[in-house]
Amino acid sequence: MKTYFYIIAILIGFSSCSSGKEEKLEPVDFSIDQYPMEFVLTEFSTMMVDSQVTGEDLPYREKYIFREDLTFTKSRTENGETLQLEGEYSRVSMSDENYFKLNYDLTNDLIESCSSDDTEHLIIDSPMKIRGTANACDYPTKTYERVK
């Protein structure tokens, strides 16, 4: 009987240690068809140096905004200056993966592509994550996470 009393006392003690209700933050699960979609750069890594850079250590801030009318904006802020490009995009499937195919209005160094035209491809890993494909031609592998 004493054993049961101790078990109950211990259980009551553990349950009373809580300081009230804990709020659980549920992850937001966006649909790939909810607009606008905003993805921000969260990580890049290079194969040559085998390094991974995240968060505040990133040398610049970069983001994509995809709109329902199939237009997008890519912007990069570095040293207080922001460069912004626009264009049109489509969703395509190649080699069992889904991509955003970006067609830019202007030629610029901000475009990371292995081809000589003004297109860029981003792999859609999930509705919450995309990544660049230009690592095949020595660009860093960039990962972007959805914030909106």
Side-chain angles (χ1 to χ4, degrees):
M1 191 64 138
K2 282 185 179 180
T3 306
Y4 291 117
F5 175 75
Y6 288 124
I7 292 173
I8 291 172
I10 290 172
L11 290 174
I12 291 171
F14 281 130
S15 66
S16 67
C17 291
S18 167
S19 62
K21 282 188 173 179
E22 291 183 25
E23 287 186 41
K24 287 188 177 180
L25 295 177
E26 297 295 324
V28 177
D29 187 19
F30 292 104
S31 164
I32 200 67
D33 293 317
Q34 287 179 314
Y35 295 94
M37 294 184 283
E38 183 175 334
F39 292 87
V40 297
L41 178 64
T42 55
E43 169 187 320
F44 77 80
S45 57
T46 60
M47 298 299 283
M48 292 180 153
V49 185
D50 194 27
S51 67
Q52 181 177 353
V53 181
T54 61
E56 293 299 316
D57 294 331
L58 290 166
Y60 48 82
R61 302 292 168 247
E62 193 169 87
K63 69 180 177 181
Y64 291 92
I65 299 174
F66 296 93
R67 292 177 284 282
E68 190 170 9
D69 65 356
L70 300 178
T71 61
F72 75 94
T73 302
K74 178 179 183 178
S75 62
R76 179 185 294 171
T77 302
E78 186 173 13
N79 299 323
E81 293 186 27
T82 300
L83 178 61
Q84 184 170 300
L85 294 176
E86 296 186 342
E88 296 179 347
Y89 73 93
S90 58
R91 290 198 325 231
V92 297
S93 292
M94 296 183 292
S95 306
D96 296 328
E97 290 188 291
N98 293 313
Y99 294 80
F100 284 123
K101 180 180 180 184
L102 312 180
N103 295 303
Y104 287 90
D105 294 337
L106 302 169
T107 301
N108 190 286
D109 290 339
L110 195 57
I111 301 170
E112 296 179 2
S113 175
C114 294
S115 63
S116 59
D117 58 5
D118 296 331
T119 62
E120 187 174 356
H121 290 85
L122 300 169
I123 296 172
I124 303 170
D125 286 328
S126 75
M128 299 300 295
K129 188 180 285 188
I130 59 176
R131 67 186 147 91
T133 60
N135 58 318
C137 50
D138 296 334
Y139 282 94
T141 300
K142 293 184 176 181
T143 302
Y144 302 82
E145 291 186 11
R146 189 165 180 182
V147 295
K148 184 176 175 183

